[in-house]
Amino acid sequence: MSLADGPSFLQRVRRARSRVFEYGTVALAFQALLVYLFLYVPIAVVIALSFNDSRHAVVWQGLTTEWYEALLAGETIARVNPDAAFQSLVYSIEIAAVTVLVSAVFGTMLAFALDRYDFPGKGLFVGLVYMPIIIPSIVMGISLLLFFNIVGMTLGIQTAMIAHIAFGISFVAVVVAARLQSFDQTLEEAAMDLGANELETFRYVTFPVIKPGVIAGSLLAFAMSFDDFVVTFFVIGRDNTLPIFFFSMVRQGISPGVNVIASLILIVTLLVVALAQWIEGPVW
């Protein structure tokens, strides 16, 4: 067999490259599998342990729905008072809901201002918009605590709402501004040439295009507000949100009651996400 009958140098290079890509795809799939396992196995473990027939959260002794039945019946289970947990949940939802409403409106307006207008000091202003996102939470919590003390505001739910709005606006503005960068403004000009006023143009042309960005930013603001612990801990006073309630519970050890509440929150969160995706479908 002569050298002329064998594969050429370029053919051998292509075959070697194909093998690299083949093994690289397998390695990438394996890496993705490990990442997903790392993210979701702890969640599955918490749900499984919420059905554990044991007062010790990490010692499996069988399957039971006793903890769910007791919690739904209003009984205290494994040091977890359902009334206190429910009140903390209500506070968390109230703060997050107000944060989303205010942040969605003002964050969208801020995104339009940054995208449509040039003004002196715009670069510095953009940096100020990003600051609540990148600044450490503990610094933000201390600075807001000092601010509320200086202006004489009593710490409580209302101060927590103000604190969460302070960083929620930035999250909505950044997401909506990214959406506006790909927006074709000639669509607005065409609508106005056809007789639509500014409100109608925004209602039927602009908003349907930026709607995914507004929804994504609002969901992000809700998640950050509902999950925040550090900033809230400094500014909420004697009241508790759910993260602070959980913190007070796990300091004494993880109990089946904590696992049950965490599982119920996970289920509700999945329902909210499914509802948001369903709402995002039709054009308003």
Side-chain angles (χ1 to χ4, degrees):
M1 183 176 180
S2 64
L3 292 175
D5 296 332
S8 64
F9 175 74
L10 290 177
Q11 289 175 327
R12 290 197 295 272
V13 170
R14 292 194 184 97
R15 290 177 183 176
R17 186 177 60 183
S18 299
R19 285 195 291 270
V20 169
F21 276 103
E22 179 182 356
Y23 291 122
T25 302
V26 174
L28 185 61
F30 182 69
Q31 181 188 15
L33 176 63
L34 291 179
V35 171
Y36 278 110
L37 288 176
F38 178 77
L39 292 176
Y40 291 107
V41 165
I43 298 176
V45 169
V46 169
I47 296 175
L49 289 177
S50 68
F51 293 97
N52 185 13
D53 189 13
S54 170
R55 300 190 69 83
H56 303 283
V58 294
V59 179
W60 182 262
Q61 291 185 349
L63 192 65
T64 182
T65 58
E66 174 188 357
W67 308 117
Y68 285 90
E69 295 171 359
L71 183 69
L72 295 177
E75 300 175 7
T76 299
I77 53 173
R79 305 189 310 275
V80 176
N81 185 345
D83 294 333
F86 181 74
Q87 185 60 59
S88 301
L89 176 63
V90 169
Y91 284 154
S92 292
I93 293 176
E94 287 179 353
I95 295 172
V98 173
T99 299
V100 167
L101 290 175
V102 178
S103 300
V105 175
F106 287 94
T108 303
M109 295 170 63
L110 181 58
F112 271 94
L114 295 176
D115 182 74
R116 301 294 173 86
Y117 302 101
D118 290 322
F119 48 86
K122 182 178 178 180
L124 177 62
F125 187 70
V126 172
L128 293 176
V129 172
Y130 282 97
M131 186 172 292
I133 299 176
I134 61 178
I135 192 173
S137 297
I138 189 170
V139 176
M140 189 169 183
I142 293 174
S143 60
L144 286 170
L145 176 61
L146 292 174
F147 171 77
F148 293 136
N149 286 334
I150 291 173
V151 300
M153 290 188 67
T154 303
L155 298 182
I157 299 299
Q158 70 281 358
T159 52
M161 290 177 179
I162 295 173
H164 288 202
I165 290 170
F167 60 76
I169 289 177
S170 297
F171 282 104
V172 175
V174 169
V175 175
V176 176
R179 186 75 179 180
L180 284 173
Q181 289 182 354
S182 60
F183 179 72
D184 186 2
Q185 296 187 27
T186 58
L187 296 175
E188 294 179 335
E189 297 173 359
M192 299 187 77
D193 288 342
L194 293 174
N197 58 33
E198 294 183 351
L199 182 60
E200 290 172 337
T201 301
F202 178 81
R203 168 71 174 80
Y204 295 106
V205 178
T206 308
F207 186 71
V209 176
I210 67 170
K211 186 182 69 174
V214 176
I215 293 176
S218 299
L219 289 176
L220 185 59
F222 182 89
M224 297 302 296
S225 172
F226 190 84
D227 194 47
D228 181 76
F229 171 80
V230 178
V231 176
T232 309
F233 185 78
F234 281 96
V235 300
I236 200 170
R238 296 181 178 179
D239 297 322
N240 279 341
T241 58
L242 204 59
I244 298 176
F245 174 79
F246 269 119
F247 176 71
S248 63
M249 289 292 99
V250 299
R251 281 194 304 178
Q252 305 171 28
I254 300 176
S255 65
V258 174
N259 292 332
V260 169
I261 295 177
S263 300
L264 291 175
I265 292 174
L266 176 64
I267 294 172
V268 173
T269 303
L270 292 176
L271 292 176
V272 170
V273 172
L275 178 63
Q277 291 182 344
W278 178 76
I279 293 175
E280 190 179 1
V283 177
W284 296 349

